[in-house]
């Protein structure tokens, strides 16, 4: 029978508060729900408990009982961040970790660890010692069932190991209900009926518990009888990274920042989807013929604001460019050829996620200012837009005209959306079919698959007044599902890719 362990950091928010305020150790302390006089007390330490302070009291009443009471708030976001750090540290000891609903508690698997640790006791002691380095006191109970280890962990300290399932069940049956995570009203009601332990609860019929007291005691009753030890381990989140290899060594700061923005925006979107925010951004730059240079920027607070992060990146890149050190100056002058970014994430607040979810409105004035800067740097013909016109050949249907100012689009509703055919400015030569039936024709290589269907031809010829053309256009559908627009140049006897339908 596989064994598992329950790792419990009791009174997790209280331990977080005392770790953040070590000067409060040895004095009465309590965690408040909110920082106001009428806020309820959520957690208390032993010194406050001896002074008569109990969870559920108002802060003002608790202060009357213990005038030296130290109090603070631990936000749900902070608790969740600490829970993630707890799981990250436990991953050093086992890959199978299932977080419990209660903060500061996890079930972990022991399978396969017998070759790494001489005994379960040594393994449990190593976990407790590692968590103690972070200022957390933990309890580790090794047993055979989720509920058994969970219940015993509520009344134990240090390490406790069961070698027989019957011993674990006996110990769990004697756990007082007051030590389990039950609603105070339900706990008091059961106490009036002299149901104060797990053993007394399981003697009651399940159906009666559900009908009279609701779902909470019913689920507890079911959990006591559950025998499955299969864990549902949480997947370790992959780090959010991005890498871009530049075609040519880049020395222009503005163009570098533009590449950074292209890489950073999807990373922030990924973090937002995970409910996280950027705490730090690791930057690795590879300079032409000078190797890699690692650096990082850290915003004042975790953020999902790309403008704030890019501003820090700009300042950091400017220090590289303006460095007077000969080696760094040579490196900067050589140009950047590779960029690698790694995000260090923490849980985001609700306000941060709400800000990221709001799509910014289009600022035409800012857009026009950006276009003006492009024209000033690259010339008047640098900013153009496409306009349709009559033409015999497909590439003659579009002309480019200068853009004076941006305008908002005015889309019209259509009953049915049509496919879009994107046309390449310069047709690309592709491989020629080896048979007339085009069986197994790999136009763009094996990644796209062979051509399954070929529609056409649609002949375009003429143009004798400039240069004579004779093309047979086809729509080629590949096995991957792409719809390519190709033509056979009869005069040159070659196939070209001229576009793609999306």
């Amino acid at each position: 029978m596989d064994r598992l362990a329950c790792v419990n950091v009791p009174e997790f928010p209280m331990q977080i508060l005392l770790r953040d305020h070590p000067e409060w150790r040895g004095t009465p302390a309590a965690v408040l729900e909110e920082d106001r006089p009428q806020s309820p007390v959520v957690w208390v330490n032993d010194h406050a408990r001896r002074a008569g302070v109990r969870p559920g009291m108002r802060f003002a009443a608790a202060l009357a009982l213990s005038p030296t009471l130290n109090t603070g708030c631990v936000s749900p976001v902070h608790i969740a961040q600490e829970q993630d750090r707890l799981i990250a540290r436990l991953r050093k000891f086992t890959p199978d970790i299932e977080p419990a609903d209660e903060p500061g508690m996890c079930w972990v698997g022991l399978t396969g660890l017998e070759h790494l640790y001489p005994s379960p006791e040594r393994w449990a002691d190593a976990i407790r010692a590692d968590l103690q380095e972070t200022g957390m006191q933990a309890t580790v109970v090794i047993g055979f069932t989720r509920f058994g280890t969970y219940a015993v962990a509520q009344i134990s300290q240090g390490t406790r190991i069961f070698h027989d399932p019957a011993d674990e069940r006996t110990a769990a049956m004697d756990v007082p209900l007051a030590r389990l995570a039950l609603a105070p009203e339900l706990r008091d009601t059961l106490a009036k009926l002299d149901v104060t332990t797990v053993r007394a609860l399981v003697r009651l019929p399940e159906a009666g518990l559900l009908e009279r007291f609701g779902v909470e005691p019913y689920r507890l009753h079911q959990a006591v009888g559950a025998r499955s030890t299969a864990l549902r381990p949480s997947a370790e989140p992959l780090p959010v990274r991005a890498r871009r290899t530049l075609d040519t060594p880049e020395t222009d700061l503005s163009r570098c920042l533009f590449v950074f923005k292209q890489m950073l925006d999807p990373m922030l979107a990924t973090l937002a989807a995970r409910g996280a925010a950027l705490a730090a951004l690791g930057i690795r730059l590879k300079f032409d013929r000078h190797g890699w240079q690692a650096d990082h920027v850290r915003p004042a607070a975790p953020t999902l604001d790309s403008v704030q992060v890019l501003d820090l990146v700009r300042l950091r890149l400017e220090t590289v460019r303006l460095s007077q050190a000969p080696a760094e100056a040579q490196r900067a002058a050589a140009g950047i050829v590779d960029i690698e970014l790694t995000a260090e994430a923490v849980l985001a607040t609700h306000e941060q996620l709400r800000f990221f979810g709001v799509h910014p409105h289009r600022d035409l004035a800012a857009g026009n200012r950006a276009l003006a800067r492009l024209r000033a740097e690259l010339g008047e013909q640098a900013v153009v837009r496409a306009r349709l016109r009559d033409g015999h050949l497909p590439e003659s249907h579009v002309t480019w005209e200068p853009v004076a100012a941006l305008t908002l689009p005015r889309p019209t509703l259509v009953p049915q959306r049509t496919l879009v055919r994107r046309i390449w400015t310069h047709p690309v030569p592709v491989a020629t079919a080896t048979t007339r039936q085009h069986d197994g024709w790999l136009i763009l290589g094996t990644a796209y698959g062979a051509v399954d269907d070929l529609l056409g031809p649609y002949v375009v010829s003429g143009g004798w007044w400039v240069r004579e053309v004779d093309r047979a256009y086809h729509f080629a559908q590949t096995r991957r599902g792409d719809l390519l627009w190709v033509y056979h140049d009869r005069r040159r006897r070659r196939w070209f890719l001229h576009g793609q339908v999306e």
Side-chain angles (χ1 to χ4, degrees), residues 347-369:
L347 284 181
T349 63
H350 176 68
E351 289 73 16
Q352 289 169 333
L353 295 174
R354 187 177 59 181
F355 169 78
F356 194 84
V358 176
H359 298 289
H361 66 278
R362 295 185 177 184
D363 189 343
L364 294 184
N368 286 323
R369 287 196 297 271

Side-chain angles (χ1 to χ4, degrees), residues 205-462:
E206 284 186 8
L209 281 174
L210 178 62
E211 181 178 358
R212 185 169 181 181
F213 299 105
V215 176
E216 191 175 6
Y218 172 73
R219 288 180 176 171
L220 178 61
H221 194 287
Q222 286 190 320
V224 176
R227 291 290 181 268
S228 174
T229 59
L231 294 178
R232 296 183 292 272
S234 61
E236 185 175 2
L238 296 175
V240 179
R241 289 196 177 108
R243 181 173 180 176
R244 179 73 61 85
T245 301
L246 307 182
D247 295 335
T248 57
E250 188 57 76
T251 58
D252 184 82
L253 178 59
S254 299
R255 289 196 291 268
C256 281
L257 287 176
F258 188 73
V259 177
F260 269 86
K261 178 172 173 45
Q262 290 180 329
M263 301 169 65
L264 187 60
D265 286 345
M267 294 174 67
L268 294 179
T270 302
L271 292 179
R274 294 182 181 180
L278 182 76
L281 180 68
I283 304 172
R284 292 184 75 231
L285 302 176
K286 184 179 182 181
F287 293 88
D288 190 25
R289 303 187 304 279
H290 286 80
W292 289 91
Q293 175 180 324
D295 212 329
H296 74 277
V297 294
R298 186 179 297 276
T303 182
L304 291 169
D305 184 4
S306 63
V307 175
Q308 183 184 151
V309 180
L310 283 174
D311 189 49
L312 298 177
V313 172
R314 178 181 61 80
L315 294 173
R316 183 54 52 87
L317 292 182
E318 283 181 346
T319 62
V320 175
R321 294 174 67 238
L322 300 177
S323 173
Q324 298 301 317
E328 295 187 5
Q330 291 179 6
R331 187 182 296 127
I336 299 171
V337 295
D338 218 327
I339 302 172
E340 185 176 295
L341 304 180
T342 304
E344 181 182 325
V346 298
L347 284 181
T349 63
H350 176 68
E351 289 73 16
Q352 289 169 333
L353 295 174
R354 187 177 59 181
F355 169 78
F356 194 84
V358 176
H359 298 289
H361 66 278
R362 295 185 177 184
D363 189 343
L364 294 184
N368 286 323
R369 287 196 297 271
L371 295 183
R373 296 186 64 177
L374 286 175
R375 280 192 290 267
E377 183 174 357
L378 304 175
E380 291 295 324
Q381 300 301 320
V383 182
V384 296
R385 64 182 173 191
R387 183 174 62 81
L388 294 176
R389 68 174 185 181
D390 294 333
H392 182 66
L393 297 178
E395 56 266 34
S396 302
H397 288 179
V398 177
T399 186
W400 299 98
E401 63 181 16
V403 176
L406 292 174
T407 57
L408 287 174
R410 295 185 178 84
T412 56
L413 295 176
V414 295
Q416 185 176 3
R417 292 186 177 182
T418 59
L419 297 176
V420 176
R421 179 171 53 188
R422 301 191 183 279
I423 302 176
W424 303 163
T425 305
H426 302 288
V428 180
V430 295
T432 302
T434 55
T435 65
R436 286 185 175 275
Q437 287 74 29
H438 307 99
D439 184 24
W441 184 20
L442 297 172
I443 294 182
L444 297 178
T446 56
Y448 284 72
V451 172
D452 276 348
D453 199 5
L454 194 67
L455 304 177
Y458 305 94
V459 177
V460 175
S461 61

